[in-house]
């Protein structure tokens, strides 16, 4: 079966069984989300941080302390994603296939919106998606744009990039703007140096893609931002998804579209 035709439950089963792959293009029409899980003592600060930086960190769901499922993710958050990143002392210390052994009773899991949610809408509008064409991960970059801090949490905005033909830039902005709960319209169009990105060929997360003649790089706020903040803030312990390897939730993309 084509991965685009899978249900979220079928995808989660495959990841639980050991499939490890970026999830762009999986489960067409179903929403994908970023995972960040932090100790309960930091949960309020992370929620406040997300509210202060809502375009980068739109919260779709939050779990109870210690819980490894949520209302929108009825699977197991410890096993049903295709990759995890473990943080200690603000440093990424391991990329893992599952986090059963690392999960703690005090962890609060946040599911953050993902720009994969509006990619099918972009395709329907005729906007090409380079990383889907190539079968690679989306490129993501730390920027020089600071997030609004909350208590001990501060750090840079992370963006994802998609090259768009000049004639379709306005279309891409308009289409993605209908999805404000999953990052919405781009935060920047054009010169990457203006937001502190020195080399598009060297993303901080994901895979590089070519920006061809007649194309403009568009940058969307990215749900990997909390992981960059975990690093910048030196948080003692956290678990995130491996960037681009998302949680596929039981919600439809169109549920996050506004007129």
């Amino acid at each position: 079966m084509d991965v685009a035709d899978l249900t979220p439950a079928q995808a989660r089963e495959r990841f639980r069984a050991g499939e490890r792959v970026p999830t762009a293009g999986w489960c067409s029409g179903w929403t994908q989300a970023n995972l960040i899980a932090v100790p309960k003592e930091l949960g309020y600060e992370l929620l406040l941080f997300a509210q202060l930086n809502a375009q980068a960190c739109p919260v779709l769901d939050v779990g109870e302390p210690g819980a490894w499922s949520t209302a929108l993710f009825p699977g197991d958050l410890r096993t049903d994603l295709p990759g995890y990143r473990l943080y200690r002392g603000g440093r990424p210390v391991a990329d893992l296939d599952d986090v059963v052994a690392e999960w703690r009773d005090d962890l609060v899991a946040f599911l953050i919106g993902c720009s994969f949610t509006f990619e099918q809408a972009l395709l329907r509008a005729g906007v090409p998606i380079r990383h889907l064409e190539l079968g690679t991960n989306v490129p993501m970059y730390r920027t020089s744009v600071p997030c609004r801090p909350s208590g001990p949490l501060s750090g840079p905005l992370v963006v994802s990039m998609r090259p768009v033909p000049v004639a379709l830039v306005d279309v891409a902005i308009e289409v993605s703007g209908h999805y404000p709960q999953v990052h919405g319209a781009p935060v920047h169009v054009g010169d990457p140096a203006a937001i502190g990105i020195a080399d598009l060929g060297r993303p901080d997360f994901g895979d590089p893609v070519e920006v061809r003649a007649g194309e403009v790089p568009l940058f969307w706020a990215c749900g990997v931002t909390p992981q960059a903040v975990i690093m910048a803030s030196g948080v003692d312990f956290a678990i995130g998804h491996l960037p681009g390897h998302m949680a596929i939730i039981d919600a439809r993309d169109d549920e996050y579209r506004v007129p």
Side-chain angles (χ1 to χ4, degrees):
M1 182 182 291
D2 190 312
V3 296
D5 298 326
L6 297 174
T7 67
Q10 289 170 326
R12 293 192 293 259
E13 183 178 359
R14 287 174 64 156
F15 301 147
R16 192 181 317 127
E19 189 158 356
R20 301 290 172 252
V21 64
T23 53
W26 281 63
C27 301
S28 180
W30 293 95
T31 300
Q32 302 194 26
N34 302 267
L35 170 67
I36 188 71
V38 297
K40 180 182 177 180
E41 64 187 28
L42 197 60
Y44 173 77
E45 293 294 353
L46 182 56
L47 183 60
L48 179 57
F49 180 89
Q51 291 176 330
L52 292 173
N53 300 278
Q55 192 165 8
C57 308
V59 176
L60 304 184
D61 207 357
V62 183
E64 295 289 335
W68 52 79
S69 63
T70 73
L72 293 179
F73 192 93
D76 190 328
L77 286 167
R78 305 170 303 171
T79 60
D80 294 2
L81 279 68
Y84 299 85
R85 185 157 286 173
L86 179 67
Y87 293 91
R88 296 186 187 277
R91 297 178 57 247
V93 295
D95 291 343
L96 302 169
D97 292 340
D98 69 68
V99 288
V100 172
E102 290 73 23
W103 201 266
R104 299 179 0 184
D105 290 341
D106 66 336
L107 286 184
V108 177
F110 289 76
L111 294 175
I112 305 291
C114 174
S115 58
F116 290 170
T117 304
F118 53 70
E119 287 189 336
Q120 289 301 312
L122 290 175
L123 290 172
R124 289 194 297 270
V127 178
I129 307 292
R130 183 68 34 76
H131 61 271
L132 291 180
E133 296 171 359
L134 298 175
T136 61
N137 203 350
V138 65
M140 295 160 273
Y141 306 84
R142 290 186 183 89
T143 72
S144 59
V145 179
C147 293
R148 292 181 64 186
S150 171
L153 299 178
S154 63
L157 173 69
V158 174
V159 294
S160 60
M161 189 279 290
R162 294 162 182 82
V164 174
V166 172
L168 293 172
V169 167
D170 289 344
V171 174
I173 294 171
E174 193 274 332
V175 169
S176 58
H178 286 291
Y179 294 83
Q181 288 183 274
V182 288
H183 304 308
V187 295
H188 182 67
V189 175
D191 183 11
I195 55 173
I197 299 172
D199 185 356
L200 288 179
R202 299 182 64 184
D204 295 291
F205 314 95
D207 300 316
V209 299
E210 180 186 9
V211 179
R212 299 170 184 165
E215 294 180 336
V216 178
L218 271 61
F219 300 90
W220 280 267
C222 179
V224 176
T225 296
Q227 296 194 42
V229 168
I230 292 297
M231 289 185 275
S233 304
V235 171
D236 285 342
F237 184 87
I239 293 173
H241 67 294
L242 192 63
H245 299 62
M246 317 303 293
I248 302 180
I249 66 176
D250 284 6
R252 290 283 190 174
D253 292 346
D254 286 346
E255 295 178 42
Y256 297 103
R257 188 185 188 280
V258 299

